[in-house]
Amino acid sequence: MTKQTVWTLAELDHKGQLDPVSFEMTARAQNLDAEIHVLLFAPTGVSDETLVPLFHHGAHEVLLLENDAFTFFQADVWGRLFADVARKENMNVFLAPADTLGRTLLPYAAMLLHTGLTADCTALSLDSETGLLDQTRPAVGGDIMATIRCEAHRPQMATIRPRSTAVPAPDVTRTGKIRRCHVTLDGKALQTQLLSFTPAPAEIPLAAADKVVVVGRGIKRPENIPAVKEFADSIGAALGATREAVDRNWLPYSCQIGLSGRTIAPKLYIGLGVSGAIQHLIGMRTAETIVAVNKDPDAPIFKVADFGIAGDCMEVLPHLKSLLAKGGVK
Ligand SMILES: Cc1cc2nc3c(=O)[nH]c(=O)nc-3n(C[C@H](O)[C@H](O)[C@H](O)COP(=O)(O)OP(=O)(O)OC[C@H]3O[C@@H](n4cnc5c(N)ncnc54)[C@H](O)[C@@H]3O)c2cc1C
């Protein structure tokens, strides 16, 4: 039986290298036992060598849409091109990361293609005969898991949260085909010009951090944030927050972890005054080691914690700091 074909979106970082989230998408397609085609928007001149890791991670073919203007993302231009390619290639399934690019490009393209889009999928399965994709994601505030099908329209499109997929070791013997397509854009198509680029401040990026200290409502007052930040810095951790903490403006939305925030999978998660609501757990339960400090011994977070401390988090904090300074965390 011939395999179903699944398309995935790859991304370049601002240095022109493949963003590792590209391999998470091919890993998802590998799990569907599909023939994998990868779509990449790139500035002209990206070398074959740059693309080879996509083959090592399961891709059969890479379709490269090239134009010098593709150094940065433009939703309308990329959306129209994507819709054209989806029609020409007769795409059945398209998977993209639920990051800024995927969350902006796919809704735009779905509208042009009159097809559906399931955002933030946690599980996917593909019927090898019918080519129908079952797309599962949390719904009703995370209380249920809904499985969604897009039976009548194509492509079936889904986004998947970054860092929610285990990437298998690369197979460096694999090769594949690169199709380069130089795109000509008329001047009117480009409505935005890149004038300058300012990288984000050099704070430890939450999504990539190995250690994360999370502020919950239980820290009580915003005046306690500096002490928590100092603690996080002392162990080289990034700061995260629950929605309760973000809604109180204690930390910015970019710190929010959970259903309506980011997904993280650090080696160490330390929750301070976090209750462990399902909507929060969705964004952190794949952390390797979970430490929770909560004054309520029955708080739900203790059900997922590897180490639980029942107590006042601001009182426990100095003890935790000196304990970890003695070499408790590598
Ligand atoms: C659609 C939807 C999406 C949502 N998305 C998110 C999301 O992305 N992320 C998210 O986090 N939430 C999200 N929520 C909200 C979520 O349901 C919870 O309300 C939230 O996670 C609770 O945050 P919290 O643990 O800080 O606060 P609370 O639930 O109020 O818990 C505070 C905890 O602190 C403990 N505590 C109090 N005082 C102390 C102390 N002195 N020392 C130690 N512990 C103390 C308490 O025992 C309690 O367990 C969402 C909700 C909905 C409906």
Side-chain angles (χ1 to χ4, degrees), residues 141 215-220 241-245 256-261 272-280 293-296 299-300 311-314:
V215 168
R217 189 157 71 98
I219 73 148
K220 295 273 199 262
T242 65
R243 191 166 94 173
E244 285 288 338
Q256 185 171 316
I257 292 157
L259 182 65
S260 44
L272 301 172
V274 175
S275 61
I278 180 70
Q279 295 86 357
H280 183 73
V293 187
N294 194 306
K295 71 172 189 189
D296 173 8
D312 182 303
C313 54
M314 297 316 293

PDB file of all heavy atoms in Angstrom, residues 141 215-220 241-245 256-261 272-280 293-296 299-300 311-314, ligand 1:
ATOM      1  N   GLY A 141     -11.806  24.591  28.064  1.00  0.00           N
ATOM      2  CA  GLY A 141     -10.879  24.990  29.123  1.00  0.00           C
ATOM      3  C   GLY A 141      -9.978  23.860  29.590  1.00  0.00           C
ATOM      4  O   GLY A 141      -9.437  23.906  30.688  1.00  0.00           O
ATOM      5  N   VAL A 215       6.026  31.474  39.069  1.00  0.00           N
ATOM      6  CA  VAL A 215       5.339  32.282  40.074  1.00  0.00           C
ATOM      7  C   VAL A 215       3.832  32.020  39.993  1.00  0.00           C
ATOM      8  O   VAL A 215       3.224  32.190  38.942  1.00  0.00           O
ATOM      9  CB  VAL A 215       5.601  33.787  39.779  1.00  0.00           C
ATOM     10  CG1 VAL A 215       4.692  34.676  40.610  1.00  0.00           C
ATOM     11  CG2 VAL A 215       7.060  34.117  40.002  1.00  0.00           C
ATOM     12  N   GLY A 216       3.243  31.613  41.110  1.00  0.00           N
ATOM     13  CA  GLY A 216       1.788  31.458  41.181  1.00  0.00           C
ATOM     14  C   GLY A 216       1.192  32.501  42.113  1.00  0.00           C
ATOM     15  O   GLY A 216       1.925  33.275  42.755  1.00  0.00           O
ATOM     16  N   ARG A 217      -0.127  32.497  42.201  1.00  0.00           N
ATOM     17  CA  ARG A 217      -0.814  33.497  43.028  1.00  0.00           C
ATOM     18  C   ARG A 217      -0.384  33.403  44.496  1.00  0.00           C
ATOM     19  O   ARG A 217      -0.462  34.379  45.243  1.00  0.00           O
ATOM     20  CB  ARG A 217      -2.323  33.303  42.913  1.00  0.00           C
ATOM     21  CG  ARG A 217      -3.124  34.406  43.548  1.00  0.00           C
ATOM     22  CD  ARG A 217      -4.503  34.478  42.940  1.00  0.00           C
ATOM     23  NE  ARG A 217      -5.335  33.357  43.341  1.00  0.00           N
ATOM     24  CZ  ARG A 217      -6.231  33.406  44.338  1.00  0.00           C
ATOM     25  NH1 ARG A 217      -6.413  34.514  45.011  1.00  0.00           N
ATOM     26  NH2 ARG A 217      -6.962  32.354  44.625  1.00  0.00           N
ATOM     27  N   GLY A 218       0.090  32.202  44.880  1.00  0.00           N
ATOM     28  CA  GLY A 218       0.495  31.979  46.271  1.00  0.00           C
ATOM     29  C   GLY A 218       1.700  32.790  46.718  1.00  0.00           C
ATOM     30  O   GLY A 218       2.000  32.818  47.919  1.00  0.00           O
ATOM     31  N   ILE A 219       2.410  33.471  45.802  1.00  0.00           N
ATOM     32  CA  ILE A 219       3.506  34.329  46.299  1.00  0.00           C
ATOM     33  C   ILE A 219       2.929  35.621  46.888  1.00  0.00           C
ATOM     34  O   ILE A 219       3.631  36.447  47.460  1.00  0.00           O
ATOM     35  CB  ILE A 219       4.606  34.641  45.243  1.00  0.00           C
ATOM     36  CG1 ILE A 219       4.100  35.627  44.204  1.00  0.00           C
ATOM     37  CG2 ILE A 219       5.204  33.410  44.608  1.00  0.00           C
ATOM     38  CD1 ILE A 219       5.224  36.511  43.689  1.00  0.00           C
ATOM     39  N   LYS A 220       1.638  35.808  46.673  1.00  0.00           N
ATOM     40  CA  LYS A 220       0.834  36.848  47.352  1.00  0.00           C
ATOM     41  C   LYS A 220       0.990  38.286  46.853  1.00  0.00           C
ATOM     42  O   LYS A 220       0.004  38.960  46.608  1.00  0.00           O
ATOM     43  CB  LYS A 220       1.090  36.845  48.865  1.00  0.00           C
ATOM     44  CG  LYS A 220       0.648  35.580  49.562  1.00  0.00           C
ATOM     45  CD  LYS A 220      -0.812  35.697  49.939  1.00  0.00           C
ATOM     46  CE  LYS A 220      -1.206  34.711  51.000  1.00  0.00           C
ATOM     47  NZ  LYS A 220      -1.831  33.520  50.498  1.00  0.00           N
ATOM     48  N   ALA A 241       5.172  31.972  34.802  1.00  0.00           N
ATOM     49  CA  ALA A 241       4.063  32.420  35.640  1.00  0.00           C
ATOM     50  C   ALA A 241       2.790  31.652  35.311  1.00  0.00           C
ATOM     51  O   ALA A 241       2.640  31.110  34.217  1.00  0.00           O
ATOM     52  CB  ALA A 241       3.815  33.915  35.409  1.00  0.00           C
ATOM     53  N   THR A 242       1.881  31.613  36.279  1.00  0.00           N
ATOM     54  CA  THR A 242       0.535  31.107  35.992  1.00  0.00           C
ATOM     55  C   THR A 242      -0.286  32.261  35.426  1.00  0.00           C
ATOM     56  O   THR A 242       0.138  33.426  35.479  1.00  0.00           O
ATOM     57  CB  THR A 242      -0.157  30.602  37.275  1.00  0.00           C
ATOM     58  OG1 THR A 242      -0.342  31.724  38.140  1.00  0.00           O
ATOM     59  CG2 THR A 242       0.639  29.514  37.957  1.00  0.00           C
ATOM     60  N   ARG A 243      -1.477  31.925  34.936  1.00  0.00           N
ATOM     61  CA  ARG A 243      -2.317  32.999  34.401  1.00  0.00           C
ATOM     62  C   ARG A 243      -2.743  33.957  35.503  1.00  0.00           C
ATOM     63  O   ARG A 243      -2.861  35.155  35.278  1.00  0.00           O
ATOM     64  CB  ARG A 243      -3.546  32.423  33.694  1.00  0.00           C
ATOM     65  CG  ARG A 243      -4.261  33.499  32.922  1.00  0.00           C
ATOM     66  CD  ARG A 243      -5.252  32.941  31.950  1.00  0.00           C
ATOM     67  NE  ARG A 243      -6.570  32.881  32.535  1.00  0.00           N
ATOM     68  CZ  ARG A 243      -7.667  32.554  31.850  1.00  0.00           C
ATOM     69  NH1 ARG A 243      -7.579  32.219  30.582  1.00  0.00           N
ATOM     70  NH2 ARG A 243      -8.826  32.528  32.439  1.00  0.00           N
ATOM     71  N   GLU A 244      -2.960  33.427  36.699  1.00  0.00           N
ATOM     72  CA  GLU A 244      -3.336  34.291  37.826  1.00  0.00           C
ATOM     73  C   GLU A 244      -2.265  35.363  38.048  1.00  0.00           C
ATOM     74  O   GLU A 244      -2.580  36.527  38.303  1.00  0.00           O
ATOM     75  CB  GLU A 244      -3.504  33.455  39.098  1.00  0.00           C
ATOM     76  CG  GLU A 244      -4.787  32.643  39.147  1.00  0.00           C
ATOM     77  CD  GLU A 244      -6.031  33.499  39.370  1.00  0.00           C
ATOM     78  OE1 GLU A 244      -5.906  34.619  39.891  1.00  0.00           O
ATOM     79  OE2 GLU A 244      -7.127  33.046  39.006  1.00  0.00           O
ATOM     80  N   ALA A 245      -1.004  34.962  37.990  1.00  0.00           N
ATOM     81  CA  ALA A 245       0.089  35.915  38.213  1.00  0.00           C
ATOM     82  C   ALA A 245       0.172  36.924  37.067  1.00  0.00           C
ATOM     83  O   ALA A 245       0.443  38.106  37.286  1.00  0.00           O
ATOM     84  CB  ALA A 245       1.413  35.159  38.372  1.00  0.00           C
ATOM     85  N   GLN A 256       3.671  33.403  30.636  1.00  0.00           N
ATOM     86  CA  GLN A 256       2.568  32.508  31.025  1.00  0.00           C
ATOM     87  C   GLN A 256       2.759  31.097  30.473  1.00  0.00           C
ATOM     88  O   GLN A 256       3.003  30.895  29.291  1.00  0.00           O
ATOM     89  CB  GLN A 256       1.231  33.069  30.537  1.00  0.00           C
ATOM     90  CG  GLN A 256       0.050  32.234  31.028  1.00  0.00           C
ATOM     91  CD  GLN A 256      -1.279  32.901  30.727  1.00  0.00           C
ATOM     92  OE1 GLN A 256      -1.412  34.106  30.925  1.00  0.00           O
ATOM     93  NE2 GLN A 256      -2.237  32.145  30.257  1.00  0.00           N
ATOM     94  N   ILE A 257       2.583  30.127  31.364  1.00  0.00           N
ATOM     95  CA  ILE A 257       2.731  28.728  30.986  1.00  0.00           C
ATOM     96  C   ILE A 257       1.369  28.052  31.098  1.00  0.00           C
ATOM     97  O   ILE A 257       0.694  28.196  32.110  1.00  0.00           O
ATOM     98  CB  ILE A 257       3.755  28.042  31.916  1.00  0.00           C
ATOM     99  CG1 ILE A 257       5.138  28.618  31.622  1.00  0.00           C
ATOM    100  CG2 ILE A 257       3.752  26.532  31.728  1.00  0.00           C
ATOM    101  CD1 ILE A 257       6.078  28.474  32.747  1.00  0.00           C
ATOM    102  N   GLY A 258       0.990  27.336  30.055  1.00  0.00           N
ATOM    103  CA  GLY A 258      -0.275  26.616  30.128  1.00  0.00           C
ATOM    104  C   GLY A 258      -1.070  26.688  28.854  1.00  0.00           C
ATOM    105  O   GLY A 258      -0.565  27.112  27.805  1.00  0.00           O
ATOM    106  N   LEU A 259      -2.314  26.308  28.976  1.00  0.00           N
ATOM    107  CA  LEU A 259      -3.217  26.207  27.822  1.00  0.00           C
ATOM    108  C   LEU A 259      -3.220  27.458  26.954  1.00  0.00           C
ATOM    109  O   LEU A 259      -3.134  27.382  25.738  1.00  0.00           O
ATOM    110  CB  LEU A 259      -4.633  25.922  28.338  1.00  0.00           C
ATOM    111  CG  LEU A 259      -5.729  25.743  27.307  1.00  0.00           C
ATOM    112  CD1 LEU A 259      -5.473  24.504  26.468  1.00  0.00           C
ATOM    113  CD2 LEU A 259      -7.083  25.649  27.994  1.00  0.00           C
ATOM    114  N   SER A 260      -3.317  28.622  27.598  1.00  0.00           N
ATOM    115  CA  SER A 260      -3.360  29.844  26.787  1.00  0.00           C
ATOM    116  C   SER A 260      -2.025  30.583  26.835  1.00  0.00           C
ATOM    117  O   SER A 260      -1.953  31.760  26.500  1.00  0.00           O
ATOM    118  CB  SER A 260      -4.512  30.740  27.237  1.00  0.00           C
ATOM    119  OG  SER A 260      -4.574  30.803  28.645  1.00  0.00           O
ATOM    120  N   GLY A 261      -0.979  29.885  27.236  1.00  0.00           N
ATOM    121  CA  GLY A 261       0.364  30.466  27.236  1.00  0.00           C
ATOM    122  C   GLY A 261       1.317  29.524  26.516  1.00  0.00           C
ATOM    123  O   GLY A 261       0.953  28.913  25.525  1.00  0.00           O
ATOM    124  N   LEU A 272       6.108  27.923  42.661  1.00  0.00           N
ATOM    125  CA  LEU A 272       5.966  28.578  43.965  1.00  0.00           C
ATOM    126  C   LEU A 272       4.544  29.119  44.092  1.00  0.00           C
ATOM    127  O   LEU A 272       4.150  30.022  43.351  1.00  0.00           O
ATOM    128  CB  LEU A 272       6.969  29.728  44.094  1.00  0.00           C
ATOM    129  CG  LEU A 272       8.445  29.339  43.947  1.00  0.00           C
ATOM    130  CD1 LEU A 272       9.327  30.587  43.908  1.00  0.00           C
ATOM    131  CD2 LEU A 272       8.885  28.413  45.072  1.00  0.00           C
ATOM    132  N   GLY A 273       3.767  28.527  44.981  1.00  0.00           N
ATOM    133  CA  GLY A 273       2.385  28.986  45.157  1.00  0.00           C
ATOM    134  C   GLY A 273       1.535  28.773  43.922  1.00  0.00           C
ATOM    135  O   GLY A 273       0.690  29.597  43.588  1.00  0.00           O
ATOM    136  N   VAL A 274       1.783  27.647  43.251  1.00  0.00           N
ATOM    137  CA  VAL A 274       1.011  27.272  42.052  1.00  0.00           C
ATOM    138  C   VAL A 274       0.067  26.141  42.456  1.00  0.00           C
ATOM    139  O   VAL A 274       0.511  25.141  43.025  1.00  0.00           O
ATOM    140  CB  VAL A 274       1.962  26.782  40.930  1.00  0.00           C
ATOM    141  CG1 VAL A 274       1.176  26.262  39.729  1.00  0.00           C
ATOM    142  CG2 VAL A 274       2.924  27.883  40.516  1.00  0.00           C
ATOM    143  N   SER A 275      -1.240  26.282  42.143  1.00  0.00           N
ATOM    144  CA  SER A 275      -2.185  25.252  42.608  1.00  0.00           C
ATOM    145  C   SER A 275      -2.120  23.978  41.769  1.00  0.00           C
ATOM    146  O   SER A 275      -2.346  22.882  42.281  1.00  0.00           O
ATOM    147  CB  SER A 275      -3.619  25.795  42.589  1.00  0.00           C
ATOM    148  OG  SER A 275      -3.982  26.159  41.271  1.00  0.00           O
ATOM    149  N   GLY A 276      -1.801  24.135  40.448  1.00  0.00           N
ATOM    150  CA  GLY A 276      -1.751  22.949  39.581  1.00  0.00           C
ATOM    151  C   GLY A 276      -3.067  22.723  38.851  1.00  0.00           C
ATOM    152  O   GLY A 276      -3.475  21.573  38.654  1.00  0.00           O
ATOM    153  N   ALA A 277      -3.702  23.820  38.415  1.00  0.00           N
ATOM    154  CA  ALA A 277      -4.935  23.698  37.621  1.00  0.00           C
ATOM    155  C   ALA A 277      -4.602  23.013  36.295  1.00  0.00           C
ATOM    156  O   ALA A 277      -3.486  23.165  35.779  1.00  0.00           O
ATOM    157  CB  ALA A 277      -5.510  25.094  37.345  1.00  0.00           C
ATOM    158  N   ILE A 278      -5.569  22.269  35.757  1.00  0.00           N
ATOM    159  CA  ILE A 278      -5.335  21.507  34.518  1.00  0.00           C
ATOM    160  C   ILE A 278      -4.801  22.395  33.399  1.00  0.00           C
ATOM    161  O   ILE A 278      -3.908  21.997  32.650  1.00  0.00           O
ATOM    162  CB  ILE A 278      -6.617  20.729  34.076  1.00  0.00           C
ATOM    163  CG1 ILE A 278      -6.387  19.928  32.785  1.00  0.00           C
ATOM    164  CG2 ILE A 278      -7.822  21.634  33.892  1.00  0.00           C
ATOM    165  CD1 ILE A 278      -5.494  18.754  32.933  1.00  0.00           C
ATOM    166  N   GLN A 279      -5.328  23.626  33.313  1.00  0.00           N
ATOM    167  CA  GLN A 279      -4.897  24.522  32.226  1.00  0.00           C
ATOM    168  C   GLN A 279      -3.423  24.899  32.374  1.00  0.00           C
ATOM    169  O   GLN A 279      -2.767  25.239  31.404  1.00  0.00           O
ATOM    170  CB  GLN A 279      -5.738  25.801  32.204  1.00  0.00           C
ATOM    171  CG  GLN A 279      -7.205  25.583  31.882  1.00  0.00           C
ATOM    172  CD  GLN A 279      -8.048  25.251  33.100  1.00  0.00           C
ATOM    173  OE1 GLN A 279      -7.526  25.128  34.209  1.00  0.00           O
ATOM    174  NE2 GLN A 279      -9.336  25.086  32.907  1.00  0.00           N
ATOM    175  N   HIS A 280      -2.904  24.873  33.599  1.00  0.00           N
ATOM    176  CA  HIS A 280      -1.478  25.132  33.804  1.00  0.00           C
ATOM    177  C   HIS A 280      -0.677  23.853  33.523  1.00  0.00           C
ATOM    178  O   HIS A 280       0.353  23.897  32.839  1.00  0.00           O
ATOM    179  CB  HIS A 280      -1.228  25.639  35.223  1.00  0.00           C
ATOM    180  CG  HIS A 280       0.210  25.992  35.462  1.00  0.00           C
ATOM    181  ND1 HIS A 280       0.790  27.124  34.909  1.00  0.00           N
ATOM    182  CD2 HIS A 280       1.193  25.354  36.140  1.00  0.00           C
ATOM    183  CE1 HIS A 280       2.075  27.160  35.254  1.00  0.00           C
ATOM    184  NE2 HIS A 280       2.339  26.088  35.990  1.00  0.00           N
ATOM    185  N   VAL A 293       6.104  24.022  45.756  1.00  0.00           N
ATOM    186  CA  VAL A 293       5.974  24.543  47.119  1.00  0.00           C
ATOM    187  C   VAL A 293       4.587  25.160  47.222  1.00  0.00           C
ATOM    188  O   VAL A 293       4.245  26.074  46.461  1.00  0.00           O
ATOM    189  CB  VAL A 293       7.031  25.625  47.436  1.00  0.00           C
ATOM    190  CG1 VAL A 293       6.962  26.011  48.915  1.00  0.00           C
ATOM    191  CG2 VAL A 293       8.428  25.162  47.057  1.00  0.00           C
ATOM    192  N   ASN A 294       3.785  24.629  48.157  1.00  0.00           N
ATOM    193  CA  ASN A 294       2.414  25.120  48.299  1.00  0.00           C
ATOM    194  C   ASN A 294       2.005  24.910  49.749  1.00  0.00           C
ATOM    195  O   ASN A 294       2.324  23.883  50.343  1.00  0.00           O
ATOM    196  CB  ASN A 294       1.486  24.339  47.356  1.00  0.00           C
ATOM    197  CG  ASN A 294       0.134  25.009  47.209  1.00  0.00           C
ATOM    198  OD1 ASN A 294      -0.532  25.292  48.205  1.00  0.00           O
ATOM    199  ND2 ASN A 294      -0.257  25.268  45.979  1.00  0.00           N
ATOM    200  N   LYS A 295       1.313  25.898  50.304  1.00  0.00           N
ATOM    201  CA  LYS A 295       0.994  25.744  51.734  1.00  0.00           C
ATOM    202  C   LYS A 295      -0.173  24.779  51.962  1.00  0.00           C
ATOM    203  O   LYS A 295      -0.385  24.339  53.093  1.00  0.00           O
ATOM    204  CB  LYS A 295       0.735  27.099  52.391  1.00  0.00           C
ATOM    205  CG  LYS A 295      -0.536  27.773  51.994  1.00  0.00           C
ATOM    206  CD  LYS A 295      -0.742  28.985  52.874  1.00  0.00           C
ATOM    207  CE  LYS A 295      -2.140  29.544  52.614  1.00  0.00           C
ATOM    208  NZ  LYS A 295      -2.400  30.805  53.230  1.00  0.00           N
ATOM    209  N   ASP A 296      -0.875  24.433  50.874  1.00  0.00           N
ATOM    210  CA  ASP A 296      -1.980  23.480  51.001  1.00  0.00           C
ATOM    211  C   ASP A 296      -1.495  22.075  50.634  1.00  0.00           C
ATOM    212  O   ASP A 296      -1.205  21.805  49.473  1.00  0.00           O
ATOM    213  CB  ASP A 296      -3.118  23.924  50.056  1.00  0.00           C
ATOM    214  CG  ASP A 296      -4.233  22.906  49.980  1.00  0.00           C
ATOM    215  OD1 ASP A 296      -4.207  21.932  50.758  1.00  0.00           O
ATOM    216  OD2 ASP A 296      -5.135  23.088  49.137  1.00  0.00           O
ATOM    217  N   ALA A 299      -3.001  20.441  47.535  1.00  0.00           N
ATOM    218  CA  ALA A 299      -3.014  21.150  46.238  1.00  0.00           C
ATOM    219  C   ALA A 299      -2.756  20.144  45.105  1.00  0.00           C
ATOM    220  O   ALA A 299      -1.894  19.263  45.227  1.00  0.00           O
ATOM    221  CB  ALA A 299      -1.939  22.240  46.229  1.00  0.00           C
ATOM    222  N   PRO A 300      -3.499  20.255  43.988  1.00  0.00           N
ATOM    223  CA  PRO A 300      -3.357  19.278  42.881  1.00  0.00           C
ATOM    224  C   PRO A 300      -1.943  19.188  42.309  1.00  0.00           C
ATOM    225  O   PRO A 300      -1.549  18.142  41.804  1.00  0.00           O
ATOM    226  CB  PRO A 300      -4.335  19.789  41.816  1.00  0.00           C
ATOM    227  CG  PRO A 300      -5.173  20.832  42.461  1.00  0.00           C
ATOM    228  CD  PRO A 300      -4.551  21.250  43.749  1.00  0.00           C
ATOM    229  N   GLY A 311       4.350  24.276  52.554  1.00  0.00           N
ATOM    230  CA  GLY A 311       4.764  25.399  53.395  1.00  0.00           C
ATOM    231  C   GLY A 311       4.580  26.713  52.671  1.00  0.00           C
ATOM    232  O   GLY A 311       4.183  26.732  51.491  1.00  0.00           O
ATOM    233  N   ASP A 312       4.896  27.798  53.372  1.00  0.00           N
ATOM    234  CA  ASP A 312       4.792  29.137  52.781  1.00  0.00           C
ATOM    235  C   ASP A 312       5.974  29.319  51.814  1.00  0.00           C
ATOM    236  O   ASP A 312       7.138  29.214  52.218  1.00  0.00           O
ATOM    237  CB  ASP A 312       4.842  30.175  53.910  1.00  0.00           C
ATOM    238  CG  ASP A 312       4.682  31.582  53.363  1.00  0.00           C
ATOM    239  OD1 ASP A 312       5.482  31.985  52.485  1.00  0.00           O
ATOM    240  OD2 ASP A 312       3.765  32.272  53.817  1.00  0.00           O
ATOM    241  N   CYS A 313       5.666  29.614  50.560  1.00  0.00           N
ATOM    242  CA  CYS A 313       6.739  29.602  49.553  1.00  0.00           C
ATOM    243  C   CYS A 313       7.804  30.660  49.825  1.00  0.00           C
ATOM    244  O   CYS A 313       8.993  30.404  49.599  1.00  0.00           O
ATOM    245  CB  CYS A 313       6.188  29.701  48.141  1.00  0.00           C
ATOM    246  SG  CYS A 313       5.100  31.068  47.854  1.00  0.00           S
ATOM    247  N   MET A 314       7.423  31.832  50.336  1.00  0.00           N
ATOM    248  CA  MET A 314       8.428  32.870  50.550  1.00  0.00           C
ATOM    249  C   MET A 314       9.323  32.525  51.744  1.00  0.00           C
ATOM    250  O   MET A 314      10.469  32.967  51.811  1.00  0.00           O
ATOM    251  CB  MET A 314       7.776  34.242  50.721  1.00  0.00           C
ATOM    252  CG  MET A 314       7.014  34.728  49.494  1.00  0.00           C
ATOM    253  SD  MET A 314       7.872  34.462  47.903  1.00  0.00           S
ATOM    254  CE  MET A 314       9.262  35.567  48.031  1.00  0.00           C
TER     255      MET A 314
HETATM  256  C1  LIG B   1      -9.669  28.674  29.028  1.00  0.00           C
HETATM  257  C2  LIG B   1      -8.704  28.809  30.167  1.00  0.00           C
HETATM  258  C3  LIG B   1      -7.364  28.916  29.875  1.00  0.00           C
HETATM  259  C4  LIG B   1      -6.441  29.033  30.916  1.00  0.00           C
HETATM  260  N1  LIG B   1      -5.109  29.105  30.611  1.00  0.00           N
HETATM  261  C5  LIG B   1      -4.220  29.109  31.617  1.00  0.00           C
HETATM  262  C6  LIG B   1      -2.813  29.088  31.332  1.00  0.00           C
HETATM  263  O1  LIG B   1      -2.356  29.128  30.191  1.00  0.00           O
HETATM  264  N2  LIG B   1      -1.960  29.062  32.387  1.00  0.00           N
HETATM  265  C7  LIG B   1      -2.384  29.042  33.691  1.00  0.00           C
HETATM  266  O2  LIG B   1      -1.543  28.995  34.594  1.00  0.00           O
HETATM  267  N3  LIG B   1      -3.695  29.077  33.966  1.00  0.00           N
HETATM  268  C8  LIG B   1      -4.614  29.119  32.970  1.00  0.00           C
HETATM  269  N4  LIG B   1      -5.937  29.172  33.270  1.00  0.00           N
HETATM  270  C9  LIG B   1      -6.323  29.448  34.680  1.00  0.00           C
HETATM  271  C10 LIG B   1      -6.274  28.212  35.555  1.00  0.00           C
HETATM  272  O3  LIG B   1      -7.552  27.577  35.536  1.00  0.00           O
HETATM  273  C11 LIG B   1      -5.976  28.602  37.017  1.00  0.00           C
HETATM  274  O4  LIG B   1      -6.895  29.582  37.432  1.00  0.00           O
HETATM  275  C12 LIG B   1      -4.565  29.142  37.240  1.00  0.00           C
HETATM  276  O5  LIG B   1      -3.596  28.272  36.682  1.00  0.00           O
HETATM  277  C13 LIG B   1      -4.313  29.249  38.737  1.00  0.00           C
HETATM  278  O6  LIG B   1      -3.151  29.949  38.964  1.00  0.00           O
HETATM  279  P1  LIG B   1      -2.414  29.828  40.370  1.00  0.00           P
HETATM  280  O7  LIG B   1      -2.036  28.418  40.614  1.00  0.00           O
HETATM  281  O8  LIG B   1      -1.353  30.873  40.398  1.00  0.00           O
HETATM  282  O9  LIG B   1      -3.538  30.362  41.387  1.00  0.00           O
HETATM  283  P2  LIG B   1      -4.505  29.598  42.361  1.00  0.00           P
HETATM  284  O10 LIG B   1      -5.233  28.502  41.683  1.00  0.00           O
HETATM  285  O11 LIG B   1      -5.298  30.632  43.036  1.00  0.00           O
HETATM  286  O12 LIG B   1      -3.534  28.903  43.402  1.00  0.00           O
HETATM  287  C14 LIG B   1      -2.741  29.565  44.316  1.00  0.00           C
HETATM  288  C15 LIG B   1      -2.082  28.500  45.144  1.00  0.00           C
HETATM  289  O13 LIG B   1      -1.176  29.096  46.044  1.00  0.00           O
HETATM  290  C16 LIG B   1      -1.244  28.423  47.279  1.00  0.00           C
HETATM  291  N5  LIG B   1      -0.785  29.373  48.302  1.00  0.00           N
HETATM  292  C17 LIG B   1      -1.444  30.421  48.834  1.00  0.00           C
HETATM  293  N6  LIG B   1      -0.637  31.074  49.693  1.00  0.00           N
HETATM  294  C18 LIG B   1       0.543  30.430  49.679  1.00  0.00           C
HETATM  295  C19 LIG B   1       1.780  30.623  50.318  1.00  0.00           C
HETATM  296  N7  LIG B   1       1.963  31.651  51.168  1.00  0.00           N
HETATM  297  N8  LIG B   1       2.788  29.770  50.074  1.00  0.00           N
HETATM  298  C20 LIG B   1       2.624  28.716  49.224  1.00  0.00           C
HETATM  299  N9  LIG B   1       1.468  28.476  48.588  1.00  0.00           N
HETATM  300  C21 LIG B   1       0.456  29.339  48.790  1.00  0.00           C
HETATM  301  C22 LIG B   1      -2.692  28.026  47.449  1.00  0.00           C
HETATM  302  O14 LIG B   1      -2.794  26.915  48.317  1.00  0.00           O
HETATM  303  C23 LIG B   1      -3.073  27.687  46.009  1.00  0.00           C
HETATM  304  O15 LIG B   1      -2.892  26.296  45.745  1.00  0.00           O
HETATM  305  C24 LIG B   1      -6.881  29.061  32.259  1.00  0.00           C
HETATM  306  C25 LIG B   1      -8.235  28.950  32.533  1.00  0.00           C
HETATM  307  C26 LIG B   1      -9.135  28.818  31.509  1.00  0.00           C
HETATM  308  C27 LIG B   1     -10.600  28.676  31.836  1.00  0.00           C
END
